Amino acid sequence: MAGKIKTQLDYRNKLILAPMVRVGTLPMRLLALEYGADLVYTEEIIDWKLLRAERRVNDVLGTIDYIDTTDGTVVFRTCPAERGKVVLQIGTAAAERAAAVGRMLQEDVSAIDVNMGCPKDFSIKGGMGVALLYDLPRAKSILEALVQTVSIPVTCKIRLMPDVDDTIKLARELQSTGISAIGVHGRTKTERPRDPVNEAAIARVAKSLDIPVIANGGSQSITRRCDILKFARQCGTGSAMVARAAEWNVSVFRPDGPLPLDDVIRRYLTLSVRYDNSPANTKYCVQMMLRSLQESPIGRRLLDSQTMQQICDIWELGDYCRETQLVYHQAGNQGRRACRPRTLSLDQSVDGSLGGGKRQCFEGQTSNQEQSVIEENICFIRANFPQDNELPKTKLFLYARRNNLELAQYEVQQKDKLFKGIIEFDGKRYSSTFWEKSKRFAEQAAALVCLVQLGVEQRDTLIANGAMMKPVSEVAAPTQNSFDEPSSKEISAKETPEQKPIEIAVKDYVVV
């Protein structure tokens, strides 16, 4: 079938980071490349999540961001260091949506892969993942639509059918759509990682096709790079993608052998801070690396962490994290602290945390003193309040009782998927400029603002635990060497001149 491919991506004899939900985000992909992977797949991203996202050039981070317009979260982020090596995997059940995603992202990724192997109920019930293997007309229509639409390679990733001959027939049909390669997980729809991988079946599929086949599923026997190469040879493919073994220690790709886990975690956290990765995603990836060590003292500290600063403090990177976040905030990075509902103006100031409290009138209010709102950029972090009697709302309740004051009155605004709490107490109104993801957290954040203004909560404490940012005037400007480059010699050696890591000028210093 004639396609529209104008660029090529060689899938032969490649070691690849497999697509893994919540793991294959930018920091992990960059680290895999740094340690020796040839190609990296994103986590599976569902088509409609991408289609409702907005593409933004992030001059502060030096990235291309696709932002969910309903809650401001990053759906997909990429940077020049992975150009030519990153493959976007999508979950889809509709040719039209798949093609729309392809048109939208083809300039920012090197190839598009369709997930036809996920056995999870969410995928199957939506007609995605492994469900497509049992709906061949739909599977082919999706691949054909992509091949005809985009100018980059299109691939798919499948699982084995119970009968290997059926898998071969299926793979040949998929090959006929014009795709450039196919990944084969050596287990069936009902088999799980504890079941042995069927290397012989992958080898039979590879021998039957004209396009490259990428073997997948061998993590049980993989602890170092030579094991990946051995797995590929035994599968007769030359190329292999690694999931769980890389999730546990991504330095498995290193030619010189894997590194100690602490070294990998510290480097991963450095990249996570450098590229403003979400704390929840960062925490999850580190948990997957720790595995059984989650029950250790360090593991328990990680489980109690909610902010990037708290996570980094465990590995003595807290100062680096705080300084970097402040630099980005000064430079206007639209990170989580600046996240606002799409129904509000993005130009409205949200940096009240960088000075004292500020006053602002809410929608529909006049500007007189009684109706103005005192605001601070404070977020509520549940881990900072291990006991229920320490919660901000509880503290404010007790403060009111002790001082014979009327109890605070709360109201919550909801816009899109975000919430802002407003509190009225002792004749004044308080709120946080930080939009929370739940009504309860929004009320607690507003109570925190009130407590800070009353002197019950101390700013220094909130700054130390990540609820506030340190005022700009109290932080010395970082030097050029304060920030690690996003790649090391291993990745630099494989880059073309136009793919070298970028440098971003930020006021009087440079973030690299």
Side-chain angles (χ1 to χ4, degrees), residues 326 330 353-356 463 469-477 507:
L326 185 61
Q330 285 179 265
S353 63
L354 299 184
I463 290 170
M469 294 190 71
K470 185 180 292 188
V472 175
S473 59
E474 297 180 14
V475 180
K507 295 192 175 179

Side-chain angles (χ1 to χ4, degrees), residues 439-507:
K439 178 179 181 291
R440 291 185 300 107
F441 278 28
E443 290 178 339
Q444 298 285 5
L448 261 180
V449 174
C450 182
L451 292 171
V452 166
Q453 291 290 317
L454 295 172
V456 177
E457 288 283 350
Q458 302 303 310
R459 294 178 186 276
D460 288 347
T461 301
L462 295 178
I463 290 170
N465 64 32
M468 295 184 72
M469 294 190 71
K470 185 180 292 188
V472 175
S473 59
E474 297 180 14
V475 180
T479 64
Q480 180 168 344
N481 294 328
S482 297
F483 300 89
D484 287 357
E485 299 210 1
S487 55
S488 67
K489 291 180 180 179
E490 289 109 324
I491 186 173
S492 298
K494 295 193 287 184
E495 290 175 342
T496 58
E498 57 271 19
Q499 294 168 341
K500 289 180 180 178
I502 57 171
E503 292 189 351
I504 313 155
V506 180
K507 295 192 175 179

Side-chain angles (χ1 to χ4, degrees), residues 8 41 56 68 98 104 154-155 181 255 274 278 282 304 317 322 370 438 479 484 496:
Q8 297 293 328
Y41 279 54
R56 298 178 188 169
D68 189 325
M104 184 178 178
V154 175
T155 64
R274 164 64 182 87
S278 86
T282 301
D304 290 337
L317 290 167
R322 280 180 277 273
E370 288 72 29
S438 79
T479 64
D484 287 357
T496 58

Side-chain angles (χ1 to χ4, degrees), residues 333-352:
N333 182 50
Q334 295 294 310
R336 181 68 184 91
R337 283 194 173 274
C339 177
R340 301 180 62 77
R342 59 180 172 174
T343 50
L344 295 183
S345 169
L346 291 174
D347 295 327
Q348 187 173 340
S349 175
V350 292
D351 60 356

Side-chain angles (χ1 to χ4, degrees), residues 358-369:
K358 68 175 184 178
R359 296 182 182 272
Q360 177 177 311
C361 293
F362 271 58
E363 299 172 10
Q365 297 175 5
T366 61
S367 59
N368 61 58
Q369 182 72 17

